[in-house]
Amino acid sequence: MASKTALQFKTNYAVSSKIEPFYKGGKVQISKDGKHIFCTCGTKVNILDIATGRVSHRVEQDDQEDITSFTVSPDDEILVTSSRALLLKQWDWRENKCTRTWKAIHTAPVASMTFDPTSTLLATGGCDSTIKVWDVVKQYCTHNLKGSSGVVHVVEFHPDISRLQLFSSSMDCKIRIWDLKSSKCVSVLESHYSAVTSLSFAPDGNTLVSSGRDKICIVWDLKTKTPTRTVAVFETVEAVVLLPKQGDFSKLGVKSEALHFITAGSKGVLRVWEASSARCVFTQTVPARPQPVEVGRGEEPDEHSLTHCLLLPATNRIATVTAEHNFLLSDLHTLVLEQQFVGYNDEVLDVKFLGPADSHIVVATNSSQLKVFDLATSNCQILHGHSETVLALDVFRTGSMFASCAKDKTIRVWQMNTETGVVCCVAQGSGHANAIGSISCSRMKQSFVVSGSQDCTIKVWDLPESLATRGGGPEVLHARVTEKGHDKDINSIAISPNDKLLATGSQDRTAKLWSSADLSLLGVFKGHKRGIWCLQFSPMDQILASSSADGTVKLWGLQDFSCLKTFEGHDASVLKVIFVSRGTQLLTSGSDGLLKLWTIKTNECVKTVDAHEDKIWGLHGNKKDELVATGSADSCITLWKDVTEIELAEEQAKQEDQVIKQQELSNLLHEKKYFKAMGLAISLNQPHTVLMVIKGILTNDDGAEQLEKTILKLRRDQRESVLRFCGVWNTNARNCLEAQAVVQVLLQHESPEELLQYSGVRAALEGLLPYTERHFQRISRLLQASMFVDYMWENMRLTGNASCGENQDEEMESSSLGGLAPLFTIDPNPSKGLDSEGGDSARLEEAERRGRGEVEEEEESSQKEDGESDDDVSAANKGVKSRKMGSPEEGKENIEPESSSEGDSDGEKQMEGMETEEQQLLRRETEARLVTMTAGNQAETESATPRTRSMRLRR
């Protein structure tokens, strides 16, 4: 139970490493220090780091034109490429930067190029039969050499630069010597009868060795321009290199200091020749490539031939390139193979982890060779044995032994030496009548192998117990049981974890369950609408998984052979399926290049990964269930790492960091440290918090100035974020003022050129403009409305003044206030006016009392000092109250204010300034009501004392 609770579903896979094609033919060159290999791959020049086996740099053409030729200067500083667009480009390859581009002047693509020993002169040989020499430093063409016939495919400077000689060869099989002083061809060396492939100069500069496809090498005396020795090598020679004078080469059969050279050609091995005697003194042996069983050809197959041979004097190694784009690095003193890289895998058909610790992978490609890659160094072993394309692989449980099947109707069992890592074939079997498309190894012990063929039969092959320790050649296997299983090709075979059952999937849309002991049929699984590509037993339950060309994956019960679940999601054929997470999840690959992760319990596709650009034929997981290898028809092999725990830990760390930052942000806001709070809120991508900070700044007395300083202190990327936030704030009228304040600061302190450098500034401005126009229109309408209110109020005052002028007596006209006091009229109908005993009257009176408390006390004391009686004061106050509130008891009289003294007028102004906003609003509302009352029934005017009038005005 503890293990089940500890089980965690996988959620994602990430690329751990890749084995990609980096060479598809063409020129190859190695740096002077022997650390990098330069090779072409379509529109790119790839630079391979020999130490790691990985591509460290890529130089790619911008115009996507294929590179026809390239060369690296002897000082390893300059790389020059030529393309089909007839352009020459000079590169700083370490920085992947093109430093110069110029026209090649050739009328056809450049076929060959080389530097002189000083790295200043560049020679280019074109398909237009011309040779041009360029001064790379001064950047101009120095020579245009004409006279060759056909494509100039070899150009070489003489190593002694003082001679200023250029050697070239074209399709007429002649070697021309050009004098760069006179720009003329001074000599033509004629002895080859086929294309010359390479030229190699002796250290003294007086001897030249040339090789050709006419199966001969010629030694030339450059003083007399005549051949001194013709060596028949009996193979098509693609490259020749001279052995250095220094060094012990006794293991290569070199017994004298005479001139010796190494040839590489169609036989696929390096051979050492003595120039003086024209005899071969040493032939390289390749233990990793034994002779195939099928013999009968007089010459090695073409894929074994060597196309390039390069000397690495700095590391005492020699490099060769095969026709299958494999790089072989051998020790120069012994010619023993030390390292091997695969430049191009072609279509990958299957891939499996190999080794007790899954340290290697074995790959079946569209070839008769098997490739075993060391995942740590990318070093590759190439296994020869099958004579036709290998179609399928399977590995035994121990990981040190695996089986393969091919179109040559045979199966082979391979054993890996766990100490040295060397793999060799230990057994082989034949008997099928057609190509064998599927193979499976026993799970418990290394006891048997089951194969399925296009001849619709199943064969069980028993393995002897002594197979792992057996030496010598491969043992011949014989099939123990053979059974016709299906009506069409058998695409997949799976063996149960206990070795008692095996299942087969066929193109006839059915899967069948068999007993592994005697191949007796136990049941048939029907349900797929198209052929079945892959079968897999669950490691935990009695369940069989199948993937089909109908785009579905099905789970079958082994008890009743019924379909338990169907997974739909792929839009194309599902080519492979494996169980992961102890049988609780499925991983599938399709012909659409997608990798899908499924959870069985929920029928849910957890993750879809765009893994490859073509069909994913190979899919396999390692023993620890943490790595997955995929191989595709796009020639790529990808290793995927389970990153579920890593992502979970990152997410938890991110959440913890968010909590800490949120707390820090709250503290900064509380302490009003607005600058730090704004920076932290921007880093957390919290626009609302940034808005709150800006609002907090603007609430201060010098908010605008403080906001300006805060914005200007921000970094450029932070200002970009704030500008982006402004576009969001500006969409809401509540926040538009803050957004406009920030935009104003940026526009005042940033020039248009600086603003255009902001990332996303165009989108931000496009979002700001329409809403800013709306806000401007809204404010304009509010301003117009406020002007209208002022206008109406002025008109109301003028109307009051006019009415007052008609009814005022002479005493009022002589008043210092003049016509500014409004005329109040009392409604003759009390029932329709303000009720003094309830409703509006009571509320207004109560408000007036509260606002008038201190004023009445002042008035009373003042009146007593002037000698007035309390009754007079009470009567006056009562009259004022009745006039103000419009009560029916104090009735039906028009109150006519009297003029007041200058001192009273000043007091009125002082008291009016002391009114609260509520009192002013109440006064205006009351006056407006009284003005609009019916003026038909006017009562007698009541003269008010100046002090009473002053009290009314104050209210």
Side-chain angles (χ1 to χ4, degrees), residues 814-857:
S814 63
S815 172
S816 62
L817 292 175
L820 294 178
L823 177 63
F824 300 102
T825 58
I826 305 303
D827 191 352
N829 190 356
S831 62
K832 296 182 180 180
L834 297 176
D835 188 1
S836 62
E837 294 181 359
D840 295 339
S841 176
R843 288 194 298 272
L844 292 173
E845 188 172 357
E846 181 67 19
E848 190 175 41
R849 280 200 197 97
R850 288 197 304 268
R852 197 179 56 183
E854 295 179 3
V855 178
E856 288 181 348
E857 291 178 4

Side-chain angles (χ1 to χ4, degrees), residues 5 19 44 121 141 160 216 265 446 478 523 582 588 646 652 696-697 707 739 793 817 824 862 868 900:
T5 55
I19 299 176
K44 300 185 288 290
L121 295 179
C141 180
D160 185 2
I216 61 172
Q446 300 174 358
H478 300 281
R582 301 180 191 171
T588 60
I646 297 175
Q652 290 177 350
I697 295 174
L707 177 64
W793 172 244
L817 292 175
F824 300 102
S862 179
E868 294 179 2
S900 63

Side-chain angles (χ1 to χ4, degrees), residues 9 131 141 187 192 232 253 258 311 394 475 641 644 653 780 787 904 907:
F9 289 146
I131 302 170
C141 180
S187 181
H192 284 284
L311 205 61
D394 197 22
E475 184 170 334
K641 185 178 181 180
T644 303
S780 299
M787 296 297 292
D904 290 337

Side-chain angles (χ1 to χ4, degrees), residues 597-645:
L597 179 64
W598 308 81
T599 299
I600 295 177
K601 185 176 181 180
T602 60
N603 265 46
E604 178 187 4
C605 179
V606 179
K607 186 69 176 180
T608 299
V609 181
D610 190 359
H612 292 275
E613 298 177 358
D614 210 335
K615 302 178 183 68
I616 303 178
W617 290 110
L619 176 65
H620 192 234
N622 68 343
K623 297 183 185 72
K624 294 182 180 180
D625 200 21
E626 61 181 4
L627 279 178
V628 171
T630 57
S632 171
D634 61 3
S635 187
C636 287
I637 302 165
T638 307
L639 294 179
W640 304 86
K641 185 178 181 180
D642 176 22
V643 293
T644 303
E645 294 184 359

Side-chain angles (χ1 to χ4, degrees), residues 32 70 109 159 166 203 252 255 264 269 380 409 459 507 633 650 690 692 715 717 880 915 933:
K32 187 177 181 180
F70 76 92
L166 178 68
L252 300 182
K255 298 178 180 179
V269 293
C380 176
K409 310 171 191 176
K459 289 182 180 291
Q507 204 66 29
E650 289 177 353
V690 178
M692 293 299 102
R715 300 191 309 269
D717 59 322
V880 173
E915 286 182 339
M933 288 181 180

Side-chain angles (χ1 to χ4, degrees), residues 118-182:
T118 63
S119 302
T120 57
L121 295 179
L122 172 70
T124 58
C127 297
D128 57 358
S129 305
T130 63
I131 302 170
K132 291 177 171 53
V133 181
W134 308 83
D135 190 321
V136 178
V137 178
K138 297 181 180 179
Q139 302 181 359
Y140 70 97
C141 180
T142 61
H143 300 79
N144 184 17
L145 308 177
K146 298 181 179 179
S148 301
S149 176
V151 177
V152 182
H153 55 267
V154 176
V155 285
E156 290 289 344
F157 281 97
H158 194 281
D160 185 2
I161 192 60
S162 62
R163 298 190 184 188
L164 282 177
Q165 289 182 339
L166 178 68
F167 291 72
S168 69
S169 179
S170 58
M171 299 304 293
D172 58 3
C173 311
K174 299 176 182 177
I175 302 172
R176 289 179 170 81
I177 304 175
W178 304 86
D179 185 5
L180 298 182
K181 295 178 182 178
S182 61

